[in-house]
């Protein structure tokens, strides 16, 4: 295969990049394009040049695997500088997703034609970087500071239609991109259009534009260093010459590429993709057709699950006991779509079309044609077993039977059916139509075909999937319960609710433990613990939770929990202090001053230790899967790369030392260090 090839079409040279899967701008691509450009630039018979890509997309960016390795010439900035100086019209023909360095290549060209389905974007911030090949200098010159800031700082790609509106795309192709690009180029030549270098343009903006923008995005970018660097680089475009601006951008890029943030964010990028690679499953594994879905239970979770499939045009049958409950479920779903209509994300017609795919019923006979059935009823093993017995009778042969349980033993549930190989866990996170994580729980008997099918379905509905084995709480909730345990114990030992929440928020979590419990409902955990064997968790840690729920204080939904809630405002709940004093006394816990550092380390190291145990027991396939779960399910700061990557960053040895100290101080019942952590600490000494 030739990675870069050139063909001459009359007087137009077409340089084609063919570097599957996403035409990343690897060294071979950069040097190939550079050689090809030199040849056609000096060819008297060539009047204009098109750069196009084969395969599914135009270049999706620099080759991320090359970051952190010794640089190899030509660098991407050098190649784009070379393109900028070509004295013949240079046209980029874009399809798929022209991202990062790929889009910067297009901005280094003099004109751009886009396939109508193509997208362009500068998503470098998601990797803890800024565009490093002129993107922060050329884009604001082309579309103005505000639109450029929006694209560069949010990292969100935009459609061809929007790109045309903003002046990025000079032409949209609705047919064959290459033929349309040749025709467009021929027109440029006929009309004697000049070479249009973005670097020749000028851009200005007041300092308020930058400060206003920063204010607007401050919550979203909290803790991340790249977005602020991106704002500074765009500002440099308005203050410095083009060449000086490029140098400023390059220096920032070089600093960021070696930063712990970018290393962590790149780790997460590859971890999410690695999570889909399951030993024993490959392209040759057969998968089942999923053309229709059923959901059992029309509560918040069931409705959220249904929306995922409706959004993809799959018909959904939703089972609820009574007509009233069916009506309520339908309305709950309809309301979510109505809110999308009011925000302008959906037309009324699209809403109606989507809702026409939803059927509600009470009779399990209506499930006879469903290819995938997801149970989302009350979290009680006996109720779930009854549902699965009924599903076994009603579902057609070959249907996949999934449970959305977040804690329970799916082996036990599967065994009540005559087809345990077809049973699997699909653990969604609330709100299920928004949260990105899908924990796929394979039982001892789940077939590889069923697992491969749900991995494909996870991708179809846009989820980040991670495979877990069966254990109490699987990967996500098993880890989260250790994190919650330490928060509960710290409260009894002397820290306040606010102090604990602030420490975890400042660590980078989206909210503290107790704010999260109040939001989700404290009763959910209380009910889950009722299914746990006595002694399998630290009962002391949850005494306050139990007392709050017993007195009707379940969190936000009752106006009171660990905090008092009034609308969006929350204030300390004075009862907590009394409860803490009572339970601390009853349990002989001497209250003391607790530092922020101890709060952070007790909570975070508890989940790290449990994460390593989950890997050593084979519940998670690999360490990075645990990182994906805690990042996508609980918002562990992406710039810290997930709990186990974070342990590596701060040192396995240090992590082990502190865990061993906690074991001495608080007993080894919960703090016995993971064998895997001990091994890694030894290997890395
Ligand atoms: C940059 O450009 C810096 C410049 O400003 C300055 C430089 C000086 N490199 O996601 P998929 C792999 S930074 C290497 O499953 P999809 C990916 O790992 C870059 N590999 O497909 C996977 O490998 P495997 C800015 C890459 O269809 C395979 O391709 N660009 C790269 O769901 C398929 O990927 C970005 O941040 C890469 N750049 O989504 C864009 N991209 O099969 C990053 C992908 O072994 N990429 N791979 O697991 C994406 O967002 C998505 O991959 C894309 C396709 C939307 C393109």
């Amino acid at each position: 295969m030739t990675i870069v090839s050139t063909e001459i079409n009359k007087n137009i040279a077409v340089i084609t990049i063919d570097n599957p899967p996403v035409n990343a701008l690897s060294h071979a691509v950069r040097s190939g394009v550079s050689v090809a450009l030199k040849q056609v630039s000096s060819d008297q018979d060539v009047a204009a040049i098109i750069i196009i890509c084969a395969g599914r997309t135009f270049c999706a960016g620099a080759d991320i695997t090359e970051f952190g390795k010794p640089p190899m010439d030509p660098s991407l900035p050098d190649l784009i500088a070379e393109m900028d100086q070509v004295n013949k019209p240079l046209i980029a023909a874009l399809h798929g997703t022209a991202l990062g360095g790929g889009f910067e290549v297009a901005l280094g060209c003099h004109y751009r034609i886009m396939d109508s389905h193509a997208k362009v974007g500068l998503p470098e911030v998601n990797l803890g970087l800024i565009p490093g090949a002129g993107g922060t200098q050329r884009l604001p010159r082309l579309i103005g500071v505000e639109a450029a800031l929006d694209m560069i700082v949010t990292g969100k790609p935009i459609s061809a239609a929007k790109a045309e509106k903003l002046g990025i795309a000079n032409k949209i192709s609705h047919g064959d991109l290459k033929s349309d690009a040749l025709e467009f180029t021929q027109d440029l030549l006929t009309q004697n259009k000049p070479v249009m270098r973005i670097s020749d343009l000028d851009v200005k903006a007041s300092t308020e534009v930058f400060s206003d923008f920063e204010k607007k995005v401050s919550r979203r970018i909290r803790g991340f260093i790249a977005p602020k660097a991106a704002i500074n680089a765009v500002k440099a475009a308005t203050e410095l010459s083009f060449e000086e601006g490029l140098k400023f951008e390059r220096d920032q890029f070089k600093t960021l590429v070696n930063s712990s943030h970018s290393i962590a964010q790149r780790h997460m990028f590859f971890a999410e993709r690695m999570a889909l690679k399951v030993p024993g499953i490959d392209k040759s594994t057969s998968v089942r057709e999923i053309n229709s879905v059923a959901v059992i239970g029309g509560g918040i979770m069931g409705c959220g699950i249904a929306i995922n499939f409706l959004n993809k045009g799959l018909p959904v049958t939703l089972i609820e006991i009574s007509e009233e409950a069916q009506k309520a479920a339908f309305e709950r779903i309809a309301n979510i779509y109505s809110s999308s209509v009011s925000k302008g994300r959906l037309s009324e017609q699209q809403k109606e079309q989507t809702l026409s795919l939803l059927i509600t019923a009470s009779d399990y006979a209506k499930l006879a044609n469903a290819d995938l059935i997801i149970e989302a009823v009350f979290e009680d093993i006996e109720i779930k077993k009854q549902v699965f017995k009924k599903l076994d009778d009603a579902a057609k042969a070959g249907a996949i039977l999934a449970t959305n349980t977040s804690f329970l033993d799916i082996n036990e549930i599967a065994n009540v059916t005559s087809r345990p190989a077809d049973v699997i866990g699909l653990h969604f996170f609330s709100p299920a139509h928004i949260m990105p994580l899908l924990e796929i729980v394979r039982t001892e008997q789940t077939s590889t075909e069923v697992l491969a099918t749900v991995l494909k379905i996870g991708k179809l509905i846009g989820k980040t999937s991670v495979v877990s084995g069966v254990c109490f709480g699987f990967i996500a909730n098993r880890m989260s319960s250790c994190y919650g345990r330490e928060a509960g114990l710290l409260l009894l030992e002397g820290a306040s609710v606010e102090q604990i929440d602030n420490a975890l928020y400042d660590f980078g979590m989206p909210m503290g433990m107790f704010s999260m419990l109040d939001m989700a409902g404290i009763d959910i955990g209380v009910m889950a613990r009722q299914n746990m064997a006595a002694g399998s968790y630290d009962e002391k840690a949850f005494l306050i939770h139990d007392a709050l729920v017993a007195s009707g204080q379940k969190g936000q939904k009752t106006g009171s929990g660990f905090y008092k809630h009034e609308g969006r405002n929350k204030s300390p709940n004075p009862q907590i202090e009394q409860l803490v004093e009572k339970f601390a006394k009853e349990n002989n816990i001497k209250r003391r001053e607790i530092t922020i550092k101890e709060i952070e380390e007790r909570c975070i190291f508890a989940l790290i230790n449990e994460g390593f145990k989950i890997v050593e027991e084979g519940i998670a396939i690999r360490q990075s899967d645990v990182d994906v779960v805690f990042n996508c399910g609980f918002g562990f700061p992406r710039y810290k790369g997930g709990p186990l990557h974070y342990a590596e960053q701060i040192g396995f040895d240090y992590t082990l030392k502190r865990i061993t100290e906690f074991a001495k101080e608080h007993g080894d019942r919960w703090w016995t260090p993971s064998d895997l952590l001990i091994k890694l600490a030894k290997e890395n000494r």
Side-chain angles (χ1 to χ4, degrees):
M1 187 187 71
T2 320
I3 289 187
V4 179
S5 57
T6 308
E7 78 181 74
I8 309 290
N9 198 305
K10 293 183 191 150
N11 56 347
I12 300 171
V14 181
I15 299 177
T16 304
I17 301 170
D18 189 3
N19 184 30
V22 297
N23 288 310
L25 287 150
S26 63
H27 175 248
V29 172
R30 298 193 305 272
S31 49
V33 173
S34 174
V35 168
L37 263 186
K38 284 190 181 81
Q39 274 167 3
V40 294
S41 302
S42 58
D43 186 336
Q44 303 289 327
D45 296 331
V46 170
I49 306 157
I50 296 171
I51 298 184
I52 195 165
C53 285
R56 66 199 222 210
T57 181
F58 194 78
C59 306
D63 186 338
I64 306 167
T65 60
E66 286 183 2
F67 293 159
K69 295 182 186 157
M72 284 189 288
D73 287 338
S75 69
L76 193 56
D78 288 348
L79 174 65
I80 295 176
E82 209 178 316
M83 291 165 51
D84 206 21
Q85 290 314 309
V86 168
N87 273 322
K88 304 170 181 180
L90 180 59
I91 294 93
L94 312 176
H95 75 293
T97 41
L99 300 177
F103 184 33
E104 288 173 299
V105 163
L107 293 171
C109 292
H110 311 139
Y111 295 93
R112 286 150 294 279
I113 172 167
M114 283 179 78
D115 174 77
S116 58
H117 300 291
K119 287 185 172 173
V120 291
L122 292 171
E124 284 87 343
V125 281
N126 299 329
L127 299 170
L129 298 168
I130 61 168
T136 65
Q137 304 304 298
R138 285 192 178 87
L139 193 59
R141 281 178 163 78
L142 184 63
I143 64 173
V145 163
E146 284 170 61
L149 278 174
D150 218 37
M151 284 185 73
I152 298 171
V153 178
T154 67
K156 278 197 190 140
I158 59 166
S159 65
K162 184 150 186 209
E164 186 183 29
K165 221 171 175 181
L166 287 172
I168 293 170
N170 304 97
K171 175 106 188 157
I172 301 294
S173 160
H174 295 277
D176 178 64
L177 179 64
K178 188 169 156 190
S179 323
D180 287 351
L182 283 165
E183 196 182 314
F184 171 69
T185 307
Q186 203 56 64
D187 286 350
L188 291 176
L189 292 172
T190 313
Q191 293 166 36
N192 224 356
K193 290 274 185 190
V195 161
M196 292 283 293
R197 294 190 180 92
I198 297 176
S199 54
D200 289 340
L201 305 175
D202 210 9
V203 61
K204 285 274 165 277
S206 68
T207 48
E208 286 80 62
V209 171
F210 295 96
S211 51
D212 288 352
F213 181 81
E214 203 173 327
K215 246 184 252 158
K216 194 173 90 182
V217 294
S218 65
R219 271 191 65 177
R220 181 203 287 226
I221 66 175
R222 179 178 72 94
F224 289 86
I225 52 175
K228 176 76 184 141
I231 295 173
N232 289 341
V234 174
K235 200 164 182 208
T238 65
E239 292 170 344
L240 305 175
S241 70
F242 181 71
E243 288 307 325
E244 286 167 342
L246 277 187
K247 184 174 176 327
F248 182 90
E249 175 197 84
R250 192 77 198 133
D251 289 345
Q252 300 257 319
F253 180 87
K254 282 184 182 163
T255 307
L256 286 170
V257 93
N258 295 316
S259 68
S260 62
H261 280 217
S262 180
I263 292 167
Q265 287 174 252
R266 275 151 36 208
H267 162 78
M268 290 310 302
F269 176 85
F270 287 114
E272 285 174 0
R273 283 151 184 87
M274 182 56 86
L276 300 176
K277 297 184 179 29
V278 177
I281 292 183
D282 58 27
K283 281 189 185 132
S284 67
T285 311
S286 57
V287 288
R288 297 184 190 170
E289 285 266 320
I290 303 293
N291 295 316
S292 63
V293 177
V295 177
I296 316 295
I300 293 176
M301 193 44 116
C303 289
I305 293 172
I307 288 171
N308 283 291
F309 297 97
L310 293 170
N311 284 347
K312 290 292 157 191
L314 283 170
V316 175
T317 304
L318 195 145
I319 300 285
E320 256 299 351
I321 299 171
S322 64
E323 256 184 48
E324 203 185 340
Q326 285 169 43
K327 205 165 154 244
F330 192 93
E331 268 170 22
R332 183 172 282 139
I333 294 175
N335 285 344
I336 291 174
Y337 283 112
S338 298
S339 138
S340 294
V341 172
S342 63
K343 287 176 190 150
R345 292 189 193 138
L346 206 67
S347 69
E348 191 61 41
Q349 193 198 358
Q350 283 168 321
K351 172 189 144 186
E352 291 307 325
Q353 248 168 20
T354 309
L355 284 174
S356 71
L357 296 169
L358 176 65
I359 297 170
T360 59
S362 59
D363 188 354
Y364 275 52
K366 290 277 188 303
L367 303 176
N369 289 321
D371 299 312
L372 167 66
I373 306 176
I374 306 172
E375 163 279 308
V377 302
F378 195 67
E379 191 74 351
D380 176 302
I381 189 109
E382 293 311 321
I383 297 178
K384 291 203 188 262
K385 280 192 202 167
Q386 278 168 27
V387 168
F388 270 77
K389 272 187 200 145
K390 282 166 75 179
L391 289 181
D392 195 22
D393 292 338
K396 67 179 178 187
I400 295 177
L401 310 183
T403 167
N404 177 54
T405 178
S406 37
F407 288 96
L408 302 173
D409 184 346
I410 307 180
N411 285 316
E412 209 179 315
I413 296 173
N415 281 333
V416 303
T417 72
S418 61
R419 39 176 137 177
D422 291 339
V423 176
I424 196 158
L426 288 182
H427 179 207
F428 290 81
F429 290 72
S430 192
H433 58 296
I434 293 173
M435 289 295 282
L437 183 63
L438 177 63
E439 206 177 17
I440 297 176
V441 190
R442 73 196 303 181
T443 71
E444 286 156 6
Q445 298 179 71
T446 305
S447 74
T448 45
E449 189 180 276
V450 166
L451 183 55
T453 306
V454 299
L455 279 164
K456 193 173 162 207
I457 286 292
K459 186 144 188 166
L460 173 82
I461 60 173
K463 296 291 180 200
T464 304
S465 301
V466 177
V467 175
S468 170
V470 176
C471 65
F472 192 85
F474 320 124
I475 302 174
N477 284 331
R478 179 168 153 186
M479 286 176 73
S480 160
S481 60
C482 298
Y483 174 66
R485 177 195 71 224
E486 288 310 307
L489 290 174
L490 284 159
L491 196 54
L492 290 182
E493 288 169 33
S496 70
V497 165
E498 295 79 8
Q499 200 190 356
I500 295 170
D501 274 3
N502 289 341
L504 296 172
Y505 180 77
D506 290 345
F507 176 80
M509 299 300 290
M511 60 179 84
M513 187 69 218
F514 298 110
S515 300
M516 189 171 90
L517 284 170
D518 270 10
M519 195 186 75
I522 312 168
D523 52 325
I524 293 177
V526 171
M527 277 189 297
R529 278 183 292 278
Q530 282 162 4
N531 284 304
M532 292 173 73
S536 64
Y537 67 98
D538 193 332
E539 289 170 25
K540 283 196 304 297
F542 303 100
L543 288 169
I544 296 170
H545 308 51
D546 294 344
L548 285 172
V549 172
S551 63
Q553 302 182 80
K554 298 179 185 171
Q556 268 177 32
K557 61 188 170 191
T558 58
S560 180
F562 286 99
Y563 295 90
K564 289 276 176 202
H565 299 271
E566 243 186 88
R568 287 173 157 240
N569 298 328
K570 62 179 187 201
S571 56
N573 179 350
Q575 271 184 43
I576 300 288
E577 192 51 32
Q578 295 156 21
L579 288 171
V580 167
E581 272 179 23
K582 171 177 174 298
F583 290 126
K585 205 168 163 195
E586 283 173 14
N587 288 278
N588 294 322
I589 295 171
K590 197 162 169 279
R591 305 199 72 211
R592 61 190 167 89
E593 276 286 315
I594 296 197
T595 64
I596 301 295
K597 185 161 187 264
E598 179 176 352
I599 295 171
E600 189 189 295
E601 291 196 336
R602 288 267 299 276
C603 294
I604 302 297
F605 288 9
L607 75 87
I608 289 175
N609 200 31
E610 200 64 21
F612 279 119
K613 287 183 185 175
I614 283 170
V615 180
E616 88 197 16
E617 289 169 22
I619 297 293
I621 296 172
R622 51 184 84 80
Q623 282 166 224
S624 59
D625 288 2
V626 169
D627 287 336
V628 176
V629 167
F630 228 75
N631 173 254
C632 298
F634 298 93
F636 192 92
R638 210 167 165 88
Y639 54 81
K640 289 188 169 144
L644 304 194
H645 176 84
Y646 176 66
E648 185 173 1
Q649 292 290 297
I650 57 172
F652 292 130
D653 221 9
Y654 176 74
T655 310
L656 176 61
K657 175 176 160 282
R658 292 297 288 140
I659 287 174
T660 313
E661 284 165 5
F662 290 143
K664 278 196 194 119
E665 288 161 29
H666 304 283
D668 56 9
R669 171 70 185 87
W670 308 114
W671 284 108
T672 304
S674 136
D675 290 339
L676 177 57
L677 175 60
I678 295 173
K679 180 172 161 275
L680 289 168
K682 260 190 206 146
E683 281 170 8
N684 285 275
R685 248 166 227 159

